[in-house]
Structures are given as C-alpha cells and as structure tokens.
Amino acid sequence: MSRPGFVLEVDAKTPPLMTMSGALLRLERLGVGTRVVYGPDADRSTDPVGLIDAALQAPLGVDPLAAQLSPATRLTLVLLDSDAPLPRPYFDPRRTLAERVLEQAARAGVDDVEIVVASGLRQRWSDAQVTRVLGDRVATSFLPDDLISSHDVTAETLVTIGDIDGHPVSVNARVADSDLLVVIGLRADHGQSCPLAEGITDLATVKRLGSADSEPEFGRQVCELIAAQIPVFSLVAVLGQPLLSHSLRFASRREWEWGLADRLAFAGARQTVAALPRRGAQLLHGTPRADYAVIDVIGGAHTAVMENARQVWRAANGVEVPGPADVLVTPVWGAAIDESDPIGNPLAAARHALVTQAGSNLGTPFVREGGVLIAQHPLRHRFSNRRHSAAADFFATVLPQTTDPDEIAARFELAAIDDAWYLDLYRKRFAPHPLRVFQDWYAIARATAPLADVIWVGADRRSAAVLGHRAASTAADALEIASGSVGFSPSITMLRGVGLVVGDVK
C-alpha cells in the first residue's frame, strides 16, 4: 500500500521544490510558511483480473452479470471517455474490463454485442485509438463489422426515452435498443455526477447539462432516467496516482528523497529542453506515459457504483489541507491536459488550473472567497487547426468582445454549434464538438467568480489578458500583484504533483 499524501510546510531548511509549467520542469525555493500539498505515492500496477471478477460476481444492488446474460440478450458495452487518465497509461485498464465482460458474454452464448464509446462532445475515436485502448483482440473482432462506434450527439437516429420537466431526453439508438448496458469506466479525476448522461445523450440535453447556469439536479435526473429505462450494469476501476516513465520518474517522487539517478535525470531533462527548439522540447516531455495501480474495481447498479467509486478514489487520493488559503498556487503541466497536445492551449490550461486542479476539493475550496489563484503555464497562443478550430476562433473572436458567460451564450453559442465546418470536423476528423469550448468557458467563469484575481506566471501577457486574467514574469512578481487583494503576508497553498489530489480542506 502506498504512503498517503501530506502537507509540507516550507521552512528555512526545505530544499528547492519542483514546479511544472507547460513542458518545463524547474526547481524553485518557496517562501517560508507555504503549504505544499503532496499526493500519495504512486504504485506499480498489478493484474486487476481478480478484482474485476469479484466485482462481476458480487455486484452492488443487482444480480451477478452472468445471471443477467442469455443467448437472446442484446448487449451493449458503453465505454466512458470523460475520465481517461492523464498522463496516458501504458496499459488502459478498460481493456481488461471489456475483455472480462466479453468472455462472460461468450460463455452465456450472447452473439448480439456492440461497443459504444460515450464520447459526447469529445472527439470521436479513430480505429487507432480503439486499438490502443481495447487492444488488438477486441479491435480485430469488432471493427471490421462496424460493431464499435463513437456516440454522435447530432445523429438523426437518436431515440427519445422520456422527459424531465418537459425536456425530452434522447440517447444513442443502439443504447436505447439494448436489453442490457454494461458501462465501463475509470475513476481517475473527473467530478461529473453522471458522465454517462453527458456521453450518450442528444445535443439539447448535453447543452443543458453544461450551460452557463447549469443545474446539477438535472444531470442526476437524466442519469436516473437512463437507468430506469434501460437495464444498466456498471463496472468501474478506481486508479491511483500516475507513476511516470523512467526518464521522468523523479517527478513522481518527493524532492528530498531523490537519489543520484533522479538528480541526473532532472538535470538531463532541463538541459535537453534548453538545447532543443521549442517544438522539440514539447514533443520530448509533453506526452509521457505512466503506470497506474488499480486500487479497486466496483460493479453493479450504476448510481451505487459511481458513488462508491468516488468515495474509494477520494479515500485513496485525499489529503487533509488546513483551511482555505489566501493564495492557491497550481502548476499546469501539458501532459495532464490533453494527450494529443504536448503543452495545451490557453483555454485548456485555464480549465485545468481553475476547474480541475483548484476544484479538486471536497466542498471547502482551497482558496478563500476573494483570494487569488496563481497558475504556472506559458499560455502560448497555439491551437491545432484541425482539432481546435472552434477553440481558436472562440479565443480570437469571442473572448476579446466579452468574457461574460451569459452574454457569450446569448450572442455566440448558437451560431457556433450550427457551423457546418465545426460539425464536419467533429463528425469526420476527430475534433471536439464546438459546444465543448463554450461549456469549458462556462466552467472556467464559474470557478473564477469567487476569486479576486487569477495570475499566470511566465505567461504570454496578451493571452492572459484575453482570458480576463493577469500575467507575471516570476512567482515573486505574482505575489506582489496579489498583495493588492490579499496583503503582503498571505497564507499560501501550493498543489504539487503529477496526478490530481483531492483536498479535504478543514
């Protein structure tokens, strides 16, 4: 069992600590009294088959999976895509989960089986991604017969299964026509109450789920409606912290425990990045791989599984933090944002800092209302022409006019989600749906609202200004800027780690 996380209070004897910014790794001395939150140690993965079989045979609230299968069963495996761990795993646990379910289906004589990726507004999966996640065995059995598909929120074949307060809810046609859904997912860091609802429903429903004035209760009701209309058996693997590849293993360890090999690897990484052109440095350290231990596998009724998985993940990765701080400092490492983008565009960086990192608490925020968030990222104005066209246009044309989420929703959202070019990229070229960038901004705006300021260290000043934030050259400069809101002796909490850590703020 790994060592639990803890909070280090910096004193005069504390060595320089590692910080992350884009693809860059640095050692910096932090101010005395700064509280640095370390996550639990990362463990190596072990074979999860025993845990999977136990979850299938003794599920929560429903009969064992084998008892629900017969030769006449129309079975659909739904792969949740909203919580894929980053950095990307060497071996995706969803492969073993799917294989064990398919083996039970084969023993029961089930021959009507399809796989649906609950991708929602995210980019649809290519054949290469299907093979990487599910393996050659599953891919070669299902892909040639078109038995693996990614959900399309704009498809004309969606089937209405009911309504909530007059709002009709439609889902993927294959899902609606199934006798049994087996939902396969990972609990790594997402906070959605029901990723299934966001992954397989229609555009109007997804739009309401993530609107500028989103209603958490509506998401719960959609999830309950799906489970009431279609039998659902969920199977979720709970993951630990990422253990990075050998060349970056030092980043998974505490600095005062670095050995000679760790120090040499860190020095080599810095020298290599300094010697390479910017693009080369991004490719070298921007897309690392990691190993993840499977802490537990939970199967059974969907709502019970998701809640239990959430509790297990929080118990395994939680750290008790003493009180909300005046200032929260969070690194933004590109490898933790987007597996296909080594650094991350400014919008992705903002979402990671404000929503994912700062929002990883158990109710009480890391930073007090009226406090300041300091994030470390270059915020370079770079977007993929193919994958991020909608985000690039949003950043270039929408945010310079207004950052107000209600105004953005009223003036710009409808035109973007009806844009033929954006939709073609989503349906055919593996880009996110254009609505996704709007919903990301709404989440960023909600997270920003309680703060007096958001300051980016080492960032492009124009990009920070477009976001409505500020930029500073150094951490000392950022604290000087923040002093106008929090004074000259603020309490400071810093999140340190490669993976996400849950903060139980007291």
Side-chain angles (χ1 to χ4, degrees):
M1 186 164 179
S2 65
R3 289 184 300 177
F6 76 108
V7 177
L8 169 72
E9 185 166 332
V10 174
D11 58 26
K13 296 182 181 180
T14 303
L17 303 180
M18 189 185 71
T19 62
M20 302 174 173
S21 175
L24 301 178
L25 303 173
R26 299 187 180 94
L27 285 177
E28 296 183 4
R29 287 197 175 276
L30 305 180
V32 173
T34 300
R35 299 180 303 219
V36 184
V37 182
Y38 283 81
D41 284 352
D43 283 338
R44 295 181 182 276
S45 62
T46 56
D47 190 346
V49 168
L51 292 173
I52 297 171
D53 289 347
L56 294 174
Q57 294 164 12
L60 301 174
V62 295
D63 294 332
L65 180 62
Q68 300 186 50
L69 299 172
S70 70
T73 301
R74 188 174 177 84
L75 175 65
T76 302
L77 276 63
V78 176
L79 298 183
L80 299 181
D81 190 34
S82 61
D83 198 22
L86 289 173
R88 200 174 81 188
Y90 287 111
F91 182 89
D92 196 306
R94 286 174 293 184
R95 178 187 306 185
T96 308
L97 296 175
E99 287 178 345
R100 299 304 287 179
V101 171
L102 292 172
E103 287 171 7
Q104 289 213 2
R107 285 196 292 270
V110 180
D111 58 9
D112 188 350
V113 184
E114 290 192 24
I115 299 174
V116 174
V117 179
S119 46
L121 299 179
R122 301 168 68 89
Q123 58 265 32
R124 306 173 79 191
W125 284 18
S126 65
D127 290 355
Q129 187 173 6
V130 169
T131 303
R132 175 171 59 79
V133 174
L134 295 179
D136 291 332
R137 179 183 173 191
V138 174
T140 55
S141 299
F142 286 81
L143 281 176
D145 297 319
D146 294 324
L147 298 178
I148 300 180
S149 62
S150 291
H151 177 64
D152 181 352
V153 297
T154 65
E156 297 179 355
T157 57
L158 301 182
V159 176
T160 300
I161 60 170
D163 70 85
I164 298 171
D165 298 330
H167 177 105
V169 176
S170 300
V171 299
N172 182 280
R174 170 68 194 195
V175 167
D177 197 32
S178 299
D179 297 318
L180 178 65
L181 296 185
V182 175
V183 176
I184 292 174
L186 304 174
R187 173 60 65 173
D189 63 7
H190 68 60
Q192 296 111 323
S193 58
C194 185
L196 180 63
E198 296 188 356
I200 63 168
T201 55
D202 58 290
L203 181 61
T205 299
V206 175
K207 181 179 177 181
R208 183 172 171 182
L209 286 168
S211 65
D213 53 351
S214 63
E215 314 157 67
E217 178 66 15
F218 178 69
R220 184 188 64 79
Q221 291 174 333
V222 172
C223 198
E224 290 178 352
L225 176 63
I226 294 172
Q229 297 297 318
I230 309 162
V232 178
F233 186 104
S234 290
L235 190 64
V236 174
V238 183
L239 305 184
Q241 296 291 308
L243 184 65
L244 290 171
S245 56
H246 286 288
S247 61
L248 291 172
R249 186 64 53 82
F250 60 86
S252 299
R253 295 175 175 147
R254 299 163 186 177
E255 292 85 349
W256 55 91
E257 296 178 349
W258 284 3
L260 178 60
D262 296 316
R263 298 180 183 280
L264 291 174
F266 175 80
R270 291 195 63 184
Q271 292 173 3
T272 303
V273 168
L276 288 173
R278 179 182 294 175
R279 180 63 178 168
Q282 293 171 1
L283 293 176
L284 180 65
H285 290 134
T287 54
R289 305 283 290 277
D291 191 20
Y292 291 84
V294 176
I295 298 171
D296 199 1
V297 178
I298 303 170
H302 182 73
T303 302
V305 166
M306 299 308 292
E307 180 57 32
N308 274 264
R310 183 181 295 111
Q311 292 176 2
V312 171
W313 191 83
R314 287 175 172 177
N317 294 280
V319 180
E320 186 172 308
V321 180
D326 298 317
V327 176
L328 176 66
V329 180
T330 178
V332 182
W333 193 30
I337 297 175
D338 188 334
E339 67 177 69
S340 61
D341 186 352
I343 295 298
N345 62 65
L347 288 169
R351 191 186 195 288
H352 185 76
L354 285 152
V355 180
T356 304
Q357 291 282 86
S360 63
N361 56 75
L362 298 183
T364 302
F366 287 114
V367 58
R368 66 170 174 83
E369 186 172 352
V372 174
L373 183 139
I374 298 176
Q376 299 167 320
H377 191 273
L379 290 187
R380 298 191 186 107
H381 189 285
R382 54 179 302 278
F383 294 85
S384 164
N385 290 334
R386 178 177 62 81
R387 293 191 62 249
H388 297 141
S389 287
D393 291 344
F394 183 90
F395 190 79
T397 64
V398 175
L399 290 182
Q401 298 183 59
T402 177
T403 59
D404 180 76
D406 293 322
E407 185 178 352
I408 288 174
R411 291 178 55 192
F412 302 103
E413 184 183 284
L414 183 60
I417 63 179
D418 287 338
D419 187 280
W421 172 243
Y422 296 156
L423 293 177
D424 185 73
L425 292 176
Y426 168 69
R427 290 167 177 154
K428 301 177 182 178
R429 307 192 185 190
F430 309 110
H433 190 281
L435 180 59
R436 186 179 179 197
V437 67
F438 285 82
Q439 295 196 343
D440 282 349
W441 182 254
Y442 303 152
I444 291 168
R446 284 193 296 271
T448 304
L451 303 174
D453 221 335
V454 177
I455 305 168
W456 294 86
V457 176
D460 181 278
R461 293 183 182 276
R462 289 172 296 180
S463 295
V466 168
L467 296 171
H469 303 161
R470 305 174 74 177
S473 300
T474 65
D477 291 341
L479 288 172
E480 184 174 348
I481 294 171
S483 65
S485 301
V486 298
F488 290 96
S489 300
S491 58
I492 303 173
T493 294
M494 176 179 174
L495 304 181
R496 156 63 168 93
V498 177
L500 189 65
V501 178
V502 176
D504 188 4
V505 185
K506 300 297 185 183

